[in-house]
């Protein structure tokens, strides 16, 4: 009985406050400073006595309205206002006619804002730890519908005597589950009069009814029960995300990049005997191993349902020529003894001829499809040819060596005035003396003496002694050396901007193009003559068809030749980009870049030679 009287007394006090809130104040006092922190929601009508509606309350909605009002006042004074961002604008709703806002203000015992253009931000109804998302914005339609229904159910008695316990409304808790069912939120409307508060037990009942069974944040649920977060979208459960499986991978036993990497010793020399670029493999030896993928670890959504992840994808075996997979499918094996290389996404094994001694009368000349490895020397007068790389760990004396790839000479090349090194790739040798060397790519060595050396890219003589003495040196782009020439005044001829090899190939292609153009023209004349004939026979028709097929092949060959010529023309470097750099340049020396030639008669130090406006210049840096 005492509790009943206590409740009725409290209820009458609330009603008095509620009724007084509907009386319009005669005079509005000056606004007090508003605190930034949010106050706890008040029971309906619990406004301090004598305070005007909305005055002095520290609540995000009222703070927002005051800030908007202040901004409007500043705008009227002519100050430019910063426009809202697209996201901020999307999160704002008009106050006028919004049932959620109206219910909030009624439960607070506050006067509604009269300005029809006033707005409020949805973020004010969302927990501070959350940022409004598109999916959360869509939930506000349901919140507004529920608020509208609660407004219809709420009666506002004229006198204290009309108040009955039956007119009370319990707190309302709505549950929201994201589309992927990985998060659950609640939004609670406060009770009226004798209604039940949103305690922990009530919250758990609502969650169970909504099917939220997994990932419940016990601490947040308990905290909500102790101090219900009314008018706030509140996170209460989070699912467990699945863990995707790892993709399979390939573990290599051989390097995929097999270009030579020069290692300079402390004395500024290079060990040309062992540059580590030739990778030999035995038959049946493993080239790489495939690590299998792993399976995904499933997760669970807030309803307890399993959420599957993605299993890892199987690695593709990089299987190329002369390789095979092991029976268990985990290892790539070599099917022959040879050299391992990697190109176009695959490992391959090319045949290799290994000469454990010298190339001399016992071995004879060598001609190999693949690579050749020679542990010893190549003697005077012998010829070694290979479609791939040639590695000579010893020395070459007066021999002819031709490679479709790179040439590597460990101890150096003495051509004895007739020896030749010719490579489509790079040439690397300890020294080059009295020899003719042609390379499609770089030439790199410690010393060049009395030799004719040509590179379609660059010549680098910067390690060891780093000297170029006598002979003819030609490079398409660049020449670098510690010293060029010597004190004995031995003449040297240097050419940049074009090479004999490039010019020769270009000339051959131009001749081939002319021949093909003549053949195409002749074939077209014959076809036109046959097709224009009055008396057509099956034999003449067949002849015309054969010529048309021939013409198609000729045109294809001509197109390929023209493309090759265009590529070669692009390869020719602009003369202005050619550079010769050396620490010491001795006279006499003849330097030609493009159409300009200069005779060097004086010694230069730290010299850079280049082409400028039709002349050759020397800068001493």
């Amino acid at each position: 009985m005492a509790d009943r009287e206590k409740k009725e007394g409290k209820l009458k006090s609330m009603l008095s406050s509620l009724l007084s809130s509907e009386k319009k104040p005669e005079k509005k006092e000056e606004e007090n400073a508003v605190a930034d922190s949010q106050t706890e929601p008040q029971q309906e009508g619990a406004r301090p006595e004598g305070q005007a509606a909305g005055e002095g309350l520290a609540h995000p909605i009222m703070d927002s309205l005051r800030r908007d009002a202040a901004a409007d006042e500043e705008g009227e004074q002519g100050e430019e206002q910063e426009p809202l961002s697209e996201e901020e604008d999307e999160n704002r709703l008009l106050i006028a006619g919004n049932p959620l806002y109206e219910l909030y203000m009624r439960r607070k015992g506050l006067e509604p804002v009269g300005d029809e253009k006033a707005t409020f931000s949805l973020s004010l109804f969302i927990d501070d730890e959350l940022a409004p998302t598109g999916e959360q914005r869509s939930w506000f339609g349901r919140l507004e519908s529920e608020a509208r229904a609660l407004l219809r159910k709420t009666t506002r008695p004229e006198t204290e005597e009309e108040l009955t316990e039956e007119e009370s409304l319990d707190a309302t808790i709505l549950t929201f589950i994201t589309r992927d069912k990985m998060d659950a939120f609640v939004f609670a409307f406060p009770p009226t009069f004798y209604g039940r508060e949103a305690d922990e037990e009530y919250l758990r009942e609502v969650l169970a009814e909504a099917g939220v069974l997994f990932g419940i944040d016990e601490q947040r649920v308990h905290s909500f029960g102790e101090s219900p977060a009314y008018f706030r979208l509140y996170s209460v459960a989070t699912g467990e995300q699945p863990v995707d499986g790892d993709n399979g991978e390939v573990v290599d036993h051989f390097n995929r990049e097999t270009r030579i990497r020069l290692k300079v010793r402390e004395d500024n020399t290079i060990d040309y005997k062992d540059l580590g670029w030739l990778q030999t493999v035995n038959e049946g030896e493993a080239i790489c191993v495939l690590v299998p993928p792993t399976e995904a670890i499933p997760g669970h959504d807030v309803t307890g349902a399993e959420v599957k992840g993605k299993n890892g994808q199987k690695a593709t075996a990089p299987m190329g020529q002369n390789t095979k997979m092991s029976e268990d499918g985990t290892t790539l094996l070599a099917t022959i003894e040879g050299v391992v290389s990697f190109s176009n996404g695959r490992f391959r094994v090319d045949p290799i001829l290994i000469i454990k001694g010298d190339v001399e009368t016992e071995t004879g000349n060598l001609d190999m499809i693949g690579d050749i490895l020679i542990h010893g020397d190549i003697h005077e007068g012998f010829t070694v040819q290979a479609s791939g790389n040639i590695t000579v760990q010893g020395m070459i004396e007066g021999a002819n060596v031709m490679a479709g790839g790179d040439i590597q000479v460990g101890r150096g090349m003495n051509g004895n005035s007739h020896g030749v090194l010719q490579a489509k790739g790079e040439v690397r040798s300890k020294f080059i003396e009295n020899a003719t060397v042609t390379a499609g790519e770089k030439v790199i060595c410690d010393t060049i003496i009395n030799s004719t050396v040509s590179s379609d890219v660059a010549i680098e003589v910067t390690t060891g002694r780093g000297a170029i003495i006598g002979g003819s040196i030609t490079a398409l782009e660049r020449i670098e050396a510690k010293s060029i020439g010597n004190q004995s005044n031995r003449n040297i001829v240097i050419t940049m901007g074009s090479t004999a090899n490039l010019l020769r190939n270009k000339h051959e292609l131009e001749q081939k193009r002319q021949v093909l153009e003549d053949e195409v023209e002749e074939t077209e004349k014959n076809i036109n003559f046959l097709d224009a004939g009055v008396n057509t026979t099956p034999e003449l028709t067949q002849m015309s068809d054969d010529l048309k097929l021939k013409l198609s092949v000729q045109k294809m060959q001509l197109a390929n030749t023209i493309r090759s010529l265009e590529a070669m023309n692009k390869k020719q470097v602009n003369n202005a980009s050619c550079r010769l750099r050396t620490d010491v340049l001795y006279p006499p020396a003849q330097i030609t870049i493009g159409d300009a030639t200069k005779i060097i008669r004086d010694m230069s130090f730290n010299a850079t030679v280049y082409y400028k406006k039709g002349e050759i210049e020397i800068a001493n840096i």
Side-chain angles (χ1 to χ4, degrees), residues 329-528:
T330 63
T331 307
L332 183 65
L333 305 173
T335 58
I336 64 170
E337 180 183 11
V339 175
V340 178
S341 61
F342 186 87
S343 62
N344 298 323
R346 299 175 183 273
F347 279 108
R348 59 178 292 164
V349 180
D350 293 312
I352 182 171
L353 176 62
I354 299 177
I355 305 298
K356 296 184 178 180
D358 297 343
V359 174
E360 51 183 352
T361 54
E362 292 185 3
T363 60
N365 296 328
L366 304 177
D367 191 351
M368 174 70 178
I369 298 176
D371 295 346
I372 298 177
L373 171 61
I374 300 168
H375 290 298
D377 303 332
I378 301 178
H379 289 194
E380 175 93 22
F382 286 90
T383 299
V384 176
Q385 299 182 71
S387 62
N389 302 316
I390 296 176
T391 302
V392 181
Q393 293 183 338
M395 184 175 176
I396 301 176
E397 298 183 45
N400 295 332
V401 180
M402 289 156 283
D406 299 334
I407 294 176
Q408 173 187 330
V409 187
R411 293 177 55 196
M413 165 70 166
N414 188 339
N416 295 333
S417 299
H418 57 265
V420 174
L421 297 180
Q422 183 177 326
K424 290 185 177 180
E426 294 182 344
V427 172
R428 298 172 182 264
S429 178
K430 178 70 175 175
F431 65 87
I432 298 172
E433 184 174 357
N434 297 319
T436 299
V437 178
T438 303
E441 298 182 27
K442 291 181 181 180
V443 174
I444 301 174
C445 57
D446 285 355
T447 308
I448 298 176
I449 302 174
N450 293 333
S451 296
T452 299
V453 180
S454 176
S455 166
D456 288 347
V457 179
I459 296 174
E460 298 177 1
V461 189
T462 57
T463 56
R465 185 177 176 187
I468 300 176
I469 302 172
S472 175
I473 307 298
T474 303
L476 191 64
E477 300 176 9
R478 179 170 46 87
I479 297 173
E480 293 185 26
K482 290 183 179 180
S483 65
I484 296 178
N486 66 357
Q487 295 179 349
S488 62
N489 297 326
R490 189 176 298 180
N491 188 50
I492 184 170
V493 176
I494 296 174
T495 304
M496 289 187 290
S498 63
T499 65
N501 183 50
L502 186 66
L503 294 175
R504 181 173 57 255
N505 292 338
K506 183 178 180 181
H507 179 66
E508 291 175 355
L509 285 172
E510 287 175 342
Q511 286 184 322
K512 183 178 180 181
R513 181 183 65 178
Q514 186 60 53
V515 170
L516 286 170
E517 286 176 346
D518 293 342
E519 289 178 352
V520 167
E521 183 180 358
E522 182 67 23
T523 304
E524 287 178 339
K525 287 181 180 179
N526 292 334
I527 292 172
N528 292 334

Side-chain angles (χ1 to χ4, degrees), residues 135 156 269 338 527 565 583:
E135 188 171 5
R156 303 175 68 82
T269 61
I527 292 172
L565 265 173
D583 295 342

